[in-house]
Amino acid sequence: MFENLRQHLEGKQFLTNKEEIIAHLQVLLKKVIQRQEKVGIAFSGGLDSSMLALLSPNCQLYTVGLENSSAVAWSIQVAQELKKPIKTKILALQEAERIIRDVVHILKSADVTHVGIGCVVYAVLEMAKKDGIKIVYGGLGAEEIFGGYKRHIEYGKDLTNIHDRLWEGLYGMEQRDLSRDLPIAKHFGIELVAPFLNEELVAYAMQIDPTLKINN
């Protein structure tokens, strides 16, 4: 995934003007996500999903969490700040067991990490399905193109290879992430879209100077 794109970008000079970069990223992201119909957003209240919510003119946010989860309270607070409608689901034990069984059946896998993340995707899409939502956005890919994981701080100590690491993360997404999420989306008849994996957006983001992604 994206191997040919990397070859196309080889030798190009990195972009360094922050104001121009931010403005153009906004244009590219809007181009991907702005649609006439209402869309759902898998919402955590973090940077990636908040950006999608902020730029989507007609959206419904969905958040899933366990009982006493601070993440759900945070998502509600951020949604209120953004003035966007949000629906939340608190997973009780019995319902969590049902979802785990369904996800294991869909994925034909009992891998703990795979199923755990898949359960969140399942719960979000189940809510969206009940609302008649046909398209749901997620923040998948943003960490890979902007260096958003904690491990990228360690990679960033050697800025000569940070983009090598980011490309490696992108290459593995089809097998690691999309192979999990897309079958669950198919189960619900919903189109699951990862705007940050749009090829034009990825191409631009991977031309940004790595010192603007990882510093201090």
Side-chain angles (χ1 to χ4, degrees), residues 5-208:
L5 180 61
R6 183 179 186 179
Q7 293 175 4
H8 178 70
L9 297 177
E10 285 291 337
K12 289 198 174 185
Q13 193 169 8
F14 282 131
L15 305 169
T16 58
N17 186 308
K18 282 197 275 189
E19 288 73 22
E20 289 182 5
I21 289 169
I22 291 168
H24 194 61
L25 283 172
Q26 183 173 332
V27 169
L28 290 175
L29 196 53
K30 278 185 174 181
K31 183 178 171 182
V32 178
I33 69 176
Q34 292 198 336
R35 306 189 185 209
Q36 294 297 320
E37 67 268 51
K38 178 182 276 191
V39 300
I41 296 178
F43 191 72
S44 68
L47 184 60
D48 312 331
S49 59
S50 294
M51 189 65 67
L52 295 177
L54 186 65
L55 296 177
S56 295
N58 188 15
C59 63
Q60 173 66 57
L61 312 185
Y62 297 99
T63 296
V64 175
L66 300 174
E67 291 180 274
N68 302 316
S69 168
S70 60
V72 173
W74 173 254
S75 295
I76 293 171
Q77 182 181 335
V78 176
Q80 289 172 344
E81 291 286 339
L82 296 174
K83 295 180 173 56
K84 299 289 184 176
I86 185 169
K87 291 188 177 182
T88 62
K89 177 187 280 291
I90 303 296
L91 291 179
L93 181 60
Q94 188 173 2
E95 188 169 23
E97 289 176 347
R98 171 186 68 83
I99 292 174
I100 289 169
R101 286 195 298 270
D102 285 353
V103 170
V104 168
H105 177 72
I106 293 168
L107 299 183
K108 298 177 174 55
S109 168
D111 178 84
V112 174
T113 303
H114 221 47
V115 171
I117 298 171
C119 285
V120 176
V121 175
Y122 183 103
V124 165
L125 296 183
E126 189 173 50
M127 283 195 288
K129 178 76 172 180
K130 288 178 181 176
D131 287 342
I133 297 286
K134 293 182 169 55
I135 299 170
V136 172
Y137 295 150
L140 194 66
E143 286 89 351
E144 280 76 15
I145 61 176
F146 295 118
Y149 287 123
K150 186 177 179 181
R151 66 175 181 267
H152 293 139
I153 298 172
E154 293 301 313
Y155 299 155
K157 289 178 180 177
D158 179 6
L159 288 172
T160 59
N161 75 351
I162 180 61
H163 268 186
D164 291 338
R165 300 291 188 173
L166 297 182
W167 281 117
E168 287 170 12
L170 283 168
Y171 296 161
M173 294 201 72
E174 193 165 10
Q175 186 173 0
R176 184 182 65 246
D177 301 294
L178 298 179
S179 66
R180 174 196 64 232
D181 296 350
L182 294 183
I184 298 172
K186 184 178 179 181
H187 171 79
F188 287 105
I190 287 176
E191 182 185 355
L192 188 59
V193 179
F196 291 104
L197 289 179
N198 171 267
E199 188 166 312
E200 189 178 2
L201 180 61
V202 171
Y204 188 78
M206 294 304 285
Q207 292 179 70
I208 298 171

